[in-house]
Amino acid sequence: MNEIKTLYFESTTSTNDVVRDYDRPWTVAISEEQSRGRGQRGNSWESEKGMNLTLSLLIKPQFLHIQDQFYISEVVSLGVVEALRSVGLTARIKWPNDIYVEDRKICGILIENDISGGGYIKRSVVGIGLNVNQRVFVSDAPNPTSCALELGGDISRKDLLAALYDSIYSLYGALEAGDRATLESRYKSVLYRKGTPARYSDKDGEFTGTILDVLPTGELIVDRSGTQQSYLFKEITFLLP
Ligand code: BTN
């Protein structure tokens, strides 16, 4: 894909920080290892050297208002799901943008946006940590998995990267063209636990709830004993079965 310029590093702190030094949209920094790989909620990101895909993509969706930033999550998480489908894996999106195979996490996404004075997105750094050929995980991250563990053999990181580029680029094209409804419905069609009662916790404790919907703003709508509750990121925790 000509539009995407890939910069390969043997070792970096965090590819999210590295790609920030570039200006050209569709620049990707990819590294064999990160000394300070970051996850969500201030966690670190475990990735064994040379085994996975740890990369960050710089995009400039300047047509998106900050209140519409969730569409970037939809594009990227659907892109990962599609790329995994190309290697024979059925993955789902755990709201807002974790990628799961059944109840195991195969990919994490960390999106960091810069906002312009007018409230539009100036640039977006999209960090993707996709577990490809790693088989042993040592951190206390809950239920990690990888393509190799799921498929029972190594897969080509190069091919998976090419599939990832294709799918993200084309989904981004749909967003740019204004096809938000299609993105939303595709996102919801692969949403982990949608419509299935499961255990969660929030500030008031543990409960059984059923995910009903995700709003365009990214809020999660959960049914709790007949009452609909909306959650922002970090306000609800999915409890593992
Ligand atoms: C999560 O906690 O689920 C998000 C993990 C994101 C990890 C990726 S690896 C490439 C990029 N660089 C980072 O430091 N983090 C992201």
Side-chain angles (χ1 to χ4, degrees), residues 13-22 36 38 56 112 125:
T13 50
S14 157
T15 52
N16 268 35
D17 295 338
V18 170
V19 91
R20 214 172 271 287
D21 289 339
Y22 295 82
R36 288 204 296 276
R38 291 202 296 281
S56 300
E112 296 170 330
V125 170

Side-chain angles (χ1 to χ4, degrees), residues 44-56:
S44 60
W45 182 252
E46 174 187 355
S47 181
E48 190 180 339
K49 183 170 186 176
M51 291 293 184
N52 302 313
L53 288 172
T54 47
L55 60 101
S56 300

Side-chain angles (χ1 to χ4, degrees), residues 27-38:
T27 300
V28 170
I30 181 162
S31 187
E32 294 297 319
E33 73 175 342
Q34 302 180 105
S35 55
R36 288 204 296 276
R38 291 202 296 281

